[in-house]
Amino acid sequence: MASNYSRKSVSSGSRKRPSTQGARVSPRPARTSASGTRVGPGVRSSRLADVQDGRAARMQSRYNRHVRRIIIALGVFLAAVALYAVLYFAGAFPVTQVTVNGADHLTNEEVAEIAAVPADSTLLRVDTAGIVARLKGEAWVEDAGVTVIPPGTLRLDIRERTVKAVVEVPSKDGAAIEEWAIASDGMWLMKIPGRATDEAKKVSEAVYADAEQALRITGVPYGVEPVAGEYCADANVNNATDIIAGLSENLSSQVKAVEASGTETTTLTLQNGVQIAFGDADDIREKERVALQLMQEHEGEIAYINVRTPTRPTWRGL
């Protein structure tokens, strides 16, 4: 018997999805900020701003300290300038003593006279550059300096030239021979007065001591006119000093005198009396080598050697 009702079929596509109404929603997970701080919903991170504010404050503090230091330093400087000006114009620290250091051939009185320190000088306003310039204008002075020693001492520091030789120069009238000291750099230093003269009393003993030990340059032609403080311009004298300067200590220490009547005829006289015709100042070391070799080979037998042409030397016995 047929049924009176029909059964409704429900397909899978018509099934209703479960309703979410009234379901509990889980909260959004917390996120991490760029500074590493965990930040929940609605929470704002302020750590980076705080760091920046702190750094700016420290920089401002350092700047303020730097400015304060500059202001203090400027104040100290201005105060020192003001004090210096007061002392300068008030004539503080007057020069009460002038001392000399390093002078042997010039007397202390001569140095003080050359320096010409004004009587009203003070340590703050003394013209040290002018003093040095005046000292360097003296033939004996190779270099000079001024040292200020409070409360009132001025020290003049001198470095003198050394005597290279004593040159025998005919006087202007040709009636006498004058002795002139010449320095190692070729500057005429002074005419050496005779021991018995009044001028000798004003000359340092060091000058005469050096003159006795110095090399003698003789035979200088008439017409050479030395001037203290000027460099020698005579070719014969310069040739003689160039030869001595170019020799080794072995031979130069034996030379007693140099005859300088001409550059080609320049002749050395040794302590043992041997004469060496040297000529001009060319090939100095080669000429020296030949002369020393001949003296060694004929020791005690030679009176005269000619090395003007070192490749063809000649010699003469006693």
Side-chain angles (χ1 to χ4, degrees):
M1 174 185 267
S3 172
N4 292 330
Y5 68 89
S6 61
R7 188 173 51 186
K8 190 175 182 180
S9 173
V10 181
S11 65
S12 60
S14 63
R15 291 179 182 172
K16 294 183 179 179
R17 296 189 179 185
S19 174
T20 57
Q21 185 176 359
R24 185 177 181 180
V25 180
S26 299
R28 184 180 300 172
R31 60 185 176 87
T32 303
S33 69
S35 62
T37 305
R38 293 179 61 82
V39 183
V43 180
R44 179 176 175 272
S45 173
S46 61
R47 182 173 179 182
L48 180 59
D50 293 342
V51 169
Q52 291 175 341
D53 291 343
R55 183 181 302 168
R58 288 194 297 272
M59 291 179 65
Q60 183 65 40
S61 177
R62 285 197 295 269
Y63 173 77
N64 293 340
R65 287 198 301 271
H66 183 65
V67 171
R68 284 197 296 271
R69 291 194 190 101
I70 292 176
I71 294 174
I72 292 172
L74 182 60
V76 171
F77 173 75
L78 293 176
V81 170
L83 177 61
Y84 180 86
V86 170
L87 295 175
Y88 181 91
F89 291 106
F93 304 111
V95 176
T96 57
Q97 184 181 22
V98 177
T99 61
V100 179
N101 175 53
D104 293 322
H105 300 86
L106 292 171
T107 63
N108 290 355
E109 292 75 14
E110 287 174 323
V111 174
E113 183 178 348
I114 296 167
V117 180
D120 61 347
S121 295
T122 70
L123 296 186
L124 295 180
R125 62 188 183 196
V126 64
D127 181 16
T128 56
I131 293 173
V132 169
R134 289 190 289 274
L135 289 173
K136 286 185 175 181
E138 162 60 37
W140 280 103
V141 179
E142 184 176 15
D143 198 9
V146 178
T147 301
V148 173
I149 306 176
T153 299
L154 206 64
R155 189 181 72 202
L156 309 179
D157 300 302
I158 304 296
R159 186 173 78 237
E160 292 184 333
R161 289 184 168 87
T162 57
V163 179
K164 183 65 175 180
V166 174
V167 185
E168 296 181 359
V169 181
S171 60
K172 289 184 179 181
D173 58 10
I177 296 295
E178 299 174 347
E179 294 186 342
W180 275 82
I182 191 170
S184 54
D185 63 354
M187 178 171 283
W188 293 110
L189 296 174
M190 66 176 294
K191 182 177 76 171
I192 304 173
R195 280 283 197 178
T197 63
D198 291 337
E199 289 179 295
K201 298 176 182 178
K202 303 177 184 179
V203 177
S204 170
E205 281 297 320
V207 174
Y208 291 101
D210 283 357
E212 292 176 1
Q213 301 296 323
L215 170 75
R216 313 289 292 194
I217 297 179
T218 64
V220 176
Y222 176 80
V224 177
E225 298 182 0
V227 177
E230 293 186 3
Y231 288 98
C232 177
D234 182 72
N236 300 328
V237 175
N238 288 337
N239 185 69
T241 55
D242 287 346
I243 290 172
I244 298 303
L247 294 175
S248 70
E249 178 66 19
N250 187 15
L251 184 57
S252 64
S253 61
Q254 301 180 52
V255 179
K256 179 175 66 176
V258 182
E259 196 274 332
S261 58
T263 56
E264 295 299 325
T265 58
T266 302
T267 301
L268 314 181
T269 300
L270 306 187
Q271 300 287 351
N272 59 6
V274 175
Q275 292 186 316
I276 303 175
F278 216 85
D280 58 37
D282 294 334
D283 301 322
I284 294 176
R285 285 302 179 92
E286 179 61 16
K287 293 176 180 179
E288 175 187 16
R289 185 192 66 78
V290 173
L292 290 173
Q293 182 176 342
L294 288 172
M295 287 190 292
Q296 183 179 9
E297 292 174 353
H298 306 281
E299 185 175 359
E301 302 174 7
I302 289 182
Y304 175 87
I305 301 173
N306 186 336
V307 289
R308 295 190 185 106
T309 305
T311 56
R312 297 192 302 274
T314 60
W315 63 277
R316 185 174 66 244
L318 296 172

